[in-house]
Amino acid sequence: DGNGKLGLVEFNILWNRIRNYLSIFRKFDLDKSGSISAYELRLALEAAGYRLNKRLHELLITRYAEPDLALDFDNFVCCLVRLETMF
């Protein structure tokens, strides 16, 4: 609601989203390494409902990936939260 505090209803919504993100992350962490590659990220984002063009996908990789171009779960959540706020 924009008040800067996380109420019970908002927490419940956030918790359900994070559980959904974890499910998607686990599904597309194909090698079960605890991180997803740039390719796996594209698949995961599509599963989450985001079909992005190549340039936007590259920007997300640049912003959220480690030097080896892999994203851990924390960065994956940050990426999805940012996408949700944009769309």
Side-chain angles (χ1 to χ4, degrees):
D1 59 10
N3 70 359
K5 296 179 182 180
L6 193 62
L8 185 58
V9 172
E10 294 164 323
F11 175 79
N12 188 38
I13 292 168
L14 178 62
W15 184 251
N16 288 331
R17 286 183 182 164
I18 289 174
R19 287 185 3 195
N20 184 40
Y21 298 161
L22 181 59
S23 173
I24 293 169
F25 185 85
R26 286 181 175 161
K27 180 179 179 183
F28 291 98
D29 179 13
L30 301 176
D31 59 359
K32 305 302 181 212
S33 65
S35 61
I36 56 176
S37 68
Y39 172 72
E40 292 167 336
L41 175 64
R42 179 176 294 281
L43 298 175
L45 291 176
E46 287 180 6
Y50 298 101
R51 287 192 54 91
L52 308 175
N53 64 35
K54 182 180 177 186
R55 180 68 180 133
L56 187 51
H57 180 73
E58 289 171 353
L59 288 171
L60 291 174
I61 292 296
T62 301
R63 169 63 180 90
Y64 293 102
E66 300 297 325
D68 64 354
L69 302 180
L71 280 86
D72 60 12
F73 181 66
D74 292 344
N75 285 323
F76 179 68
V77 169
C78 290
C79 179
L80 281 174
V81 167
R82 178 60 56 103
L83 284 172
E84 278 190 20
T85 59
M86 288 173 48
F87 294 103

